[in-house]
Amino acid sequence: MINHIVLYPILVQLFFAIVLLFAWNSVRLQKSISIFGCIVSLALSIWLFITIWTKGTLTVQAGNWEAPFGITFVADIFAATLVLLTAISGLAVTIFSAGTILLSRFKFGFLPVFHFLLLGLNGAFLTGDIFNLYVWFEIIIISSFVLITLGGEKKQLEGAIKYFTLNILASMIFLTAIAVLYGLTGSLNMADLALKVAEIDNRGLVEITALLFLIGFGIKAAIFPLYFWLPASYHTPPPAVMAIFGGLLTKVGVYALIRVFTLIFVGEDFLETIILSIAGLTLFSGAVGALVQNNIVKVFSYLIICHIGFMILGLGLYTEAAIAGAVFYLIHDIVVKTNLFMVSGLIYRIKGTFSMRDLGRLYAHHPMFSLLMIIPLFSLIGIPPLSGFWPKLALITESFKIGNYWLIGAVLFATFITLFVIARMWSEVFWKDGPVLKRIPNFRYFRLLNKKQKLQMIVPMVFLAMVSLYIGFGAEHIQRLSSRIAQELMNNQLYIEAVLNK
């Protein structure tokens, strides 16, 4: 029975999403149920993580059909870590949304759809079947599309069209890749695919199939040159939705890339060269995009793209230390990016704008809030000993070992541009004298919120800031976790044996 805890993170989100549908007419009850559901999910995720850490990989074969014939769910330490991070981010965002989302959006089903999104994320991390990974991706796309369009504002609809169009294209490419892979191997189970793909003599066909997966997952991960949908859509929904999108949605694509290219398509030098090139160009293009933006949300959107490059770089280097660095950066980035978009939401509530030209003197009026915002901003830059520093150091070290100095240059370029952009943002938003803004009629400025609503905005930011500080100052624990994940990913026989009992 212990194996069934693999399904609990999925089932608990499904349960609370359905329960919330029955509380449709009571927004206050919906908020309470959602927060309680996220607390339960966090507790179950911690239980799952501890169990996997002590007992090793657990699997569940749906309907008692033995792998590779049935639907398999697998919880290794990598999947368990991402399920835990999803629960942490989900709890923070649901509390934040309780104080920031408009009443009308709650009445149109924001919270049930939000839990369906978390359901899809957990399913994607825990599935051991490549076709069901596609199914979970579709649940994520449908839920996120509803969250983007909820409210029906013009900019939301424009952003949703761009978001949906590119992600549907990615799904079509992904489905085509699955069909080709099934035609080559006759299997959909990822552990079984790892064995059968290695035996295919026509390596050119395998590389083409791998490229299809790289394009499909690359669009979802927003790598170069497939990232244009992200800055065009992520700034359109409310900050609570931006937070879960910025923290987790692109990371599902990164997870899929790491999982597939360390398990199924292994040892292809041609692919490693392509991935390294894409990583460098993603770092460069994301950094340049952030450099020319004035809207703080668009700055953060381009920095998502830029920092995806660090994770892809670790995959391309394909050493145990580099994979560990990529995983460490993934852990850090989920927490920091979620918090940064909530920071942007707080700034908007205080000033009523996202434009850096119209902001200023935030530190003079709100010094404690400003000091709180330093933590995710400086963590993003990677100022030692905060969380962003350690994985960058690992990636630079591994690039130096193979003598690839242009990759070191790309990492340093992206880091210094991030430093410049955040320093400019701090100067523009927090230090300078800003213009006197016209008051927006019927806008719920932060000073007009009641104490409960203010706490609902501040508490999740403090929570994630503390998590970020732990990742930075407790880096030896995160490094130990990342190294174990990297060791298991590089030795994929452990995963195969756990699933197929071989």
Side-chain angles (χ1 to χ4, degrees):
M1 289 296 292
I2 190 67
N3 287 33
H4 289 149
I5 67 170
V6 173
L7 299 176
Y8 292 169
I10 299 173
L11 296 177
V12 72
Q13 295 296 348
L14 177 62
F15 174 78
F16 281 102
I18 294 171
V19 169
L20 284 163
L21 294 174
F22 288 95
W24 192 277
N25 294 322
S26 175
V27 172
R28 180 177 296 181
L29 181 59
Q30 280 193 48
K31 292 178 180 179
S32 300
I33 292 171
S34 180
I35 293 172
F36 176 70
C38 286
I39 292 171
V40 173
S41 179
L42 178 58
L44 291 173
S45 300
I46 293 171
W47 180 24
L48 175 65
F49 179 85
I50 293 172
T51 303
I52 301 301
W53 183 264
T54 55
K55 297 182 181 297
T57 302
L58 296 178
T59 63
V60 172
Q61 311 295 344
N64 289 326
W65 285 82
E66 291 298 321
F69 305 107
I71 296 173
T72 303
F73 292 91
V74 187
D76 61 356
I77 194 64
F78 188 27
T81 299
L82 287 168
V83 167
L84 177 57
L85 289 167
T86 300
I88 290 171
S89 297
L91 176 59
V93 172
T94 197
I95 295 172
F96 185 80
S97 67
T100 59
I101 295 293
L102 295 176
L103 187 64
S104 58
R105 288 190 170 97
F106 281 118
K107 289 183 176 179
F108 282 98
F110 170 82
L111 287 175
V113 176
F114 177 73
H115 281 270
F116 276 117
L117 176 62
L118 297 180
L119 163 72
L121 290 166
N122 286 336
F125 296 138
L126 293 170
T127 187
D129 182 285
I130 195 72
F131 180 76
N132 280 284
L133 179 59
Y134 165 79
V135 173
W136 292 116
F137 271 19
E138 292 309 293
I139 293 174
I140 292 169
I141 289 174
I142 293 168
S143 302
S144 55
F145 179 74
V146 174
L147 291 176
I148 286 182
T149 56
L150 208 61
E153 295 178 7
K154 181 181 177 182
K155 66 172 185 176
Q156 288 180 266
L157 297 176
E158 290 177 355
I161 290 171
K162 297 167 186 174
Y163 173 84
F164 192 72
T165 302
L166 268 296
N167 276 274
I168 284 296
L169 175 62
S171 295
M172 292 171 61
I173 295 171
F174 181 19
L175 192 58
T176 302
I178 292 172
V180 174
L181 193 59
Y182 183 74
L184 288 172
T185 62
S187 180
L188 294 170
N189 183 282
M190 288 195 282
D192 193 43
L193 286 169
L195 296 175
K196 291 183 176 178
V197 168
E199 297 173 352
I200 296 174
D201 294 327
N202 190 340
R203 302 316 296 175
L205 190 55
V206 170
E207 288 180 351
I208 291 171
T209 308
L211 281 175
L212 288 174
F213 278 103
L214 179 61
I215 294 169
F217 293 147
I219 293 174
K220 295 179 184 295
I223 63 175
F224 179 89
L226 309 169
Y227 62 81
F228 293 102
W229 60 270
L230 191 152
S233 59
Y234 270 29
H235 69 287
T236 58
V241 177
M242 294 181 206
I244 203 70
F245 281 19
L248 284 167
L249 287 201
T250 51
K251 310 311 180 299
V252 183
V254 173
Y255 166 82
L257 283 169
I258 293 174
R259 177 68 76 190
V260 167
F261 285 94
T262 57
L263 180 62
I264 300 174
F265 303 105
V266 180
E268 305 290 344
D269 293 338
F270 168 69
L271 290 174
E272 289 179 17
T273 302
I274 290 177
I275 292 172
L276 283 176
S277 301
I278 289 172
L281 291 169
T282 302
L283 287 166
F284 179 80
S285 56
V288 172
L291 192 62
V292 299
Q293 298 301 318
N294 174 63
N295 183 301
I296 57 175
V297 175
K298 288 191 175 182
V299 170
F300 293 149
S301 296
Y302 274 100
L303 289 178
I304 290 174
I305 298 163
C306 175
H307 296 168
I308 291 293
F310 290 115
M311 304 168 219
I312 304 302
L313 173 60
L315 176 61
L317 290 170
Y318 206 74
T319 65
E320 190 171 308
I323 295 289
V327 171
F328 195 132
Y329 204 94
L330 179 63
I331 294 169
H332 141 81
D333 202 67
I334 288 173
V335 175
V336 169
K337 290 297 194 315
T338 304
N339 206 2
L340 282 176
F341 281 98
M342 291 196 293
V343 165
S344 69
L346 177 59
I347 292 171
Y348 185 70
R349 283 291 165 201
I350 292 172
K351 292 289 190 177
T353 182
F354 288 120
S355 172
M356 287 193 286
R357 294 191 189 95
D358 297 328
L359 291 167
R361 295 189 60 80
L362 201 62
Y363 183 83
H365 297 143
H366 302 277
M368 296 304 296
F369 297 165
S370 301
L371 292 175
L372 173 63
M373 293 171 193
I374 282 178
I375 297 172
L377 290 171
F378 282 17
S379 297
L380 183 70
I381 298 168
I383 293 176
L386 297 178
S387 57
F389 172 74
W390 307 108
K392 288 180 185 178
L393 183 62
L395 294 172
I396 290 173
T397 301
E398 289 304 299
S399 298
F400 182 77
K401 284 181 180 178
I402 66 171
N404 199 323
Y405 300 110
W406 84 271
L407 285 176
I408 296 174
V411 170
L412 293 176
F413 175 81
T415 299
F416 283 118
I417 293 298
T418 302
L419 171 62
F420 177 81
V421 167
I422 297 303
R424 185 184 66 179
M425 182 182 294
W426 184 262
S427 174
E428 294 285 314
V429 175
F430 296 90
W431 283 120
K432 75 173 176 64
D433 290 329
V436 178
L437 299 177
K438 293 181 180 180
R439 293 296 173 186
I440 305 172
N442 302 319
F443 182 75
R444 295 191 303 166
Y445 284 97
F446 184 79
R447 60 184 176 79
L448 301 177
L449 301 179
N450 59 43
K451 185 176 181 181
K452 181 180 178 181
Q453 291 172 322
K454 290 179 179 178
L455 284 174
Q456 287 170 331
M457 293 190 72
I458 299 301
V459 167
M461 292 172 57
V462 173
F463 171 55
L464 291 186
M466 294 302 103
V467 175
S468 289
L469 288 176
Y470 173 76
I471 294 171
F473 287 95
E476 67 275 14
H477 304 298
I478 307 301
Q479 184 59 46
R480 182 184 172 197
L481 169 62
S482 301
S483 297
R484 175 167 167 179
I485 292 171
Q487 184 180 15
E488 291 186 4
L489 289 172
M490 295 294 287
N491 182 15
N492 59 21
Q493 194 63 34
L494 298 172
Y495 183 98
I496 295 168
E497 290 174 357
V499 175
L500 300 178
N501 294 318
K502 290 187 177 181

